[in-house]
């Protein structure tokens, strides 16, 4: 319920019935509009519509005023004045009501006036009976595109005194009411968007947290995958590495037998000296000739030296394996690129040596002067391992159908060039193998892509190498190749720490 309002200036609302019959029509409209506009000048939303319905009813001396908004197919009242007071808002079906004219009419009807017998014209509207309505005047409310969005309507219990006057006043306030409905709808939409944005922000925050957790899991999986690939590659090399280690071990083992004999004879000879000192007799000299003392004294140090070389070889191989297979956990360090390449070549040395099918693979080193480079030593060595192992595979593939003599004339060659270009170190690994087609070259760094036979490759080596160079070192890895022209892999490692 709402009490009858007074005008802002404290006066009673103007009423048509209080005016003399001969008053000028324009004067009434002007006065009414002034009073109505003054009352609603600062009002918005629900207060605006309640004030508009009240002022229209009291100013025009109309018993029933309805202001409604179309939502879906139903009309929802924004303000109702009847029985001399504001009433609770309702929702109703406009089709059987006079307001339905604006929806059902095929023409663009914006005003409808029923001067009398309203209940007979709309017999299916129960509200008209309850209100005892006799006449009706309604104006359509339209949005900025001309679409029907609601109605302001007046209902009287008798024929209206001056419907044309009422119509002029409703037209003016229909525009203001239409703008207010649009404003309310936009405000409601903004509020909905705000709430939706908060919901989406919370959802996005939750997803972001889940994504961060997923990224951490992926990074962990990636590190495991890189290490697994590294160990997998070592597994493929283990037989050759074992043979490479076994050779110096067998040599050392064989030399130990001879060194043991030599020392036994030398110890016997020293014992004879002890017996006959200070004057050695003929037995001492005879024993010296028997054991060939001069040769023993010359040969034994040489055997010890050769055994040391074998031990150093084993040590180099073990150190290379340890450096290659370790997990990166200490961050970047300043490393010697040439040392990393040489370490990798030691591990692969058994694959470079000659075998019954081909001569040894020739390795040409064209090393430039390089500074120490800040990088992950284990990762860089893994890249060298992948590229050199692939070069050897390519050369062995190119040897198919060629004789040993042909390969001696045109030997398999891997050329390793290093240089300092601008602010980066460049490493080029070139082979004179069969090369590759362009469609193969374009897929070369894709995960799980391989041209090798099943069981000879995982398709991850080059993909991981590319990832190591581009993501971990902000560098680059490229391949240049053509069929019959061999392949050239180019590694660029920036020297800056960014």
């Amino acid at each position: 319920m709402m009490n009858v309002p007074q005008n802002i200036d404290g006066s009673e609302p103007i009423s048509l019935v209080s005016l003399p019959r001969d008053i000028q029509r324009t004067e009434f409209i002007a006065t009414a509009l002034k009073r109505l506009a003054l009352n609603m000048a600062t009002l918005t939303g629900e207060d605006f519509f309640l004030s508009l319905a009240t002022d229209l009813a009291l100013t025009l001396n109309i018993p029933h005023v309805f202001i409604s908004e179309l939502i879906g197919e139903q009309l929802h009242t924004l303000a109702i004045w009847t029985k001399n007071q504001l009433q609770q808002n309702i929702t109703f079906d406009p089709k059987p009501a006079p307001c339905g004219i604006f929806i059902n009419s095929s023409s663009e009807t914006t005003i409808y006036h029923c001067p009398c017998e309203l209940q007979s014209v709309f017999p299916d509207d129960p509200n008209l009976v309850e209100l005892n309505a006799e006449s009706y005047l309604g104006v359509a409310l339209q949005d900025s595109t001309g679409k029907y969005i609601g109605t302001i309507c007046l209902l009287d219990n008798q024929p209206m005194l001056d419907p044309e006057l009422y119509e002029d006043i409703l037209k003016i306030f229909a525009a203001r009411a239409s703008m207010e409905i649009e404003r309310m709808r936009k405000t409601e939409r903004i509020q909905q968007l705000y709430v939706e944005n908060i919901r989406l922000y919370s959802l996005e925050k939750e997803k972001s947290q889940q994504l961060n957790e997923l990224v951490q899991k992926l990074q962990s999986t990636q590190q495991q995958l890189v290490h697994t690939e590294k160990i997998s590659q070592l597994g493929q090399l283990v037989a050759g590495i074992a043979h490479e280690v076994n050779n110096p071990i067998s040599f050392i083992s064989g030399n130990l037998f001879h060194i043991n004999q030599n020392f036994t004879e030398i110890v016997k000879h020293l014992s004879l000296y002890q017996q006959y000192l200070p004057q050695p007799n003929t037995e001492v000299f005879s024993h010296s000739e028997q054991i060939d003392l001069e040769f023993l004294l010359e040969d034994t140090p040489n055997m010890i030296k050769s055994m040391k070389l074998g031990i150093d070889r084993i040590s180099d191989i073990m150190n290379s394996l340890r450096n290659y297979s370790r997990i990166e956990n200490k961050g970047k360090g300043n490393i010697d690129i040439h040392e990393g390449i040489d370490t990798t070549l030691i591990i692969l040395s058994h694959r470079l040596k000659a075998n019954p099918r081909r001569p040894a693979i020739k390795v040409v080193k064209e090393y430039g002067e390089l500074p120490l480079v800040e990088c992950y030593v284990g990762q860089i060595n893994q890249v060298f391992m992948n590229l050199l192992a692939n070069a050897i595979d390519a050369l062995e593939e190119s040897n198919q159908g060629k004789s040993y003599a042909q390969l001696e004339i045109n030997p398999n060659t891997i050329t390793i060039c290093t240089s300092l270009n601008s602010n980066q170190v460049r490493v080029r690994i070139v082979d004179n193998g069969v090369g590759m087609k362009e469609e193969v070259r374009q897929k070369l760094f894709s995960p799980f892509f391989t041209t090798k036979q099943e069981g000879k490759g995982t398709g991850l080596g080059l993909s991981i190498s590319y990832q190591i160079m581009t993501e971990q070192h902000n560098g680059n890895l490229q391949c240049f190749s053509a069929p019959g022209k061999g392949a050239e892999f180019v590694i660029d490692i920036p020297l800056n720490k960014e």
Side-chain angles (χ1 to χ4, degrees), residues 83-94:
K83 300 178 182 179
N84 294 319
Q85 61 185 2
L86 291 167
Q87 305 291 337
Q88 293 291 330
N89 286 322
I90 62 172
T91 300
F92 62 95
D93 183 3

Side-chain angles (χ1 to χ4, degrees), residues 108-352:
E108 295 182 357
T109 303
T110 58
I111 299 174
Y112 176 68
H113 176 223
C114 181
C116 60
E117 298 183 357
L118 183 62
Q119 296 180 43
S120 299
V121 179
F122 298 94
D124 297 329
D125 186 354
N127 294 323
L128 299 180
V129 177
E130 182 180 348
L131 297 172
N132 192 27
E134 177 67 17
S135 58
Y136 173 92
L137 176 63
V139 178
L141 304 180
Q142 297 175 311
D143 63 15
S144 56
T145 65
K147 182 181 178 181
Y148 173 72
I149 59 173
T151 307
I152 299 178
C153 64
L154 311 176
L155 295 99
D156 205 341
N157 303 122
Q158 60 185 359
M160 293 184 183
L161 182 63
D162 193 346
E164 292 182 359
L165 173 64
Y166 299 167
E167 181 180 318
D168 289 339
I169 294 175
L170 289 186
K171 283 181 181 178
I172 295 171
F173 284 97
R176 172 72 170 86
S178 297
M179 287 189 294
E180 187 60 25
I181 289 176
E182 279 200 283
R183 188 197 66 79
M184 290 172 60
R185 287 183 173 182
K186 289 178 180 178
T187 300
E188 182 181 3
R189 179 57 180 159
I190 290 172
Q191 291 174 343
Q192 290 174 347
L193 289 174
Y194 177 73
V195 172
E196 180 66 11
N197 283 339
I198 292 177
R199 187 188 70 83
L200 290 175
Y201 174 77
S202 299
L203 185 62
E204 194 66 26
K205 189 175 181 180
E206 182 181 350
K207 286 184 177 179
S208 177
Q209 185 177 354
Q210 293 175 349
L211 184 60
N212 287 335
E213 293 175 357
L214 180 59
V215 167
Q216 291 177 358
K217 290 181 180 178
L218 285 175
Q219 289 174 341
S220 176
T221 302
Q222 183 184 50
Q223 292 175 354
Q224 293 175 9
L225 188 62
V226 170
H227 190 62
T228 299
E229 168 63 17
K230 187 186 295 185
I231 298 304
S232 173
Q233 193 168 52
L234 282 178
Q236 297 174 24
L237 300 172
V238 69
I241 294 173
H243 177 73
E244 195 70 15
V245 171
N246 189 58
N247 281 341
I249 289 177
S250 298
F251 179 73
I252 292 169
S253 178
N255 280 351
L256 282 174
F257 173 77
H258 295 292
I259 285 177
N260 184 55
Q261 284 186 327
N262 290 354
F263 270 103
T264 301
E265 297 297 337
I266 291 172
V267 168
K268 287 181 180 179
H269 191 70
L270 290 175
S271 297
L272 288 176
Y273 262 101
Q274 287 179 331
Q275 290 178 19
Y276 298 105
L277 281 176
Q279 294 295 328
N281 64 5
T282 56
E283 185 179 358
V284 174
F285 293 108
S286 175
H287 185 265
S288 175
E289 293 177 1
Q290 181 183 347
I291 64 174
D292 196 355
L293 180 62
E294 184 177 351
F295 173 77
L296 289 182
L297 294 175
E298 180 181 349
D299 184 52
T300 300
N302 290 335
M303 282 195 292
I304 293 174
K305 186 183 297 184
S306 65
M307 289 171 64
K308 185 178 184 304
L309 289 175
I311 292 172
D312 290 343
R313 176 65 175 167
I314 294 172
S315 178
D316 288 342
I317 294 173
M318 293 301 103
N319 287 334
S320 298
L321 287 174
R322 185 178 67 253
N323 290 335
Y324 175 75
S325 61
R326 72 180 180 183
I327 300 177
E328 229 46 89
N329 56 12
K330 294 183 180 179
K332 292 182 177 180
N334 293 321
I335 69 164
D336 183 342
I337 292 294
H338 296 152
E339 184 180 348
I341 296 172
D342 294 339
T343 293
T344 307
L345 290 173
I346 289 173
I347 297 175
L348 291 170
S349 59
H350 67 282
R351 295 196 62 191
L352 298 170

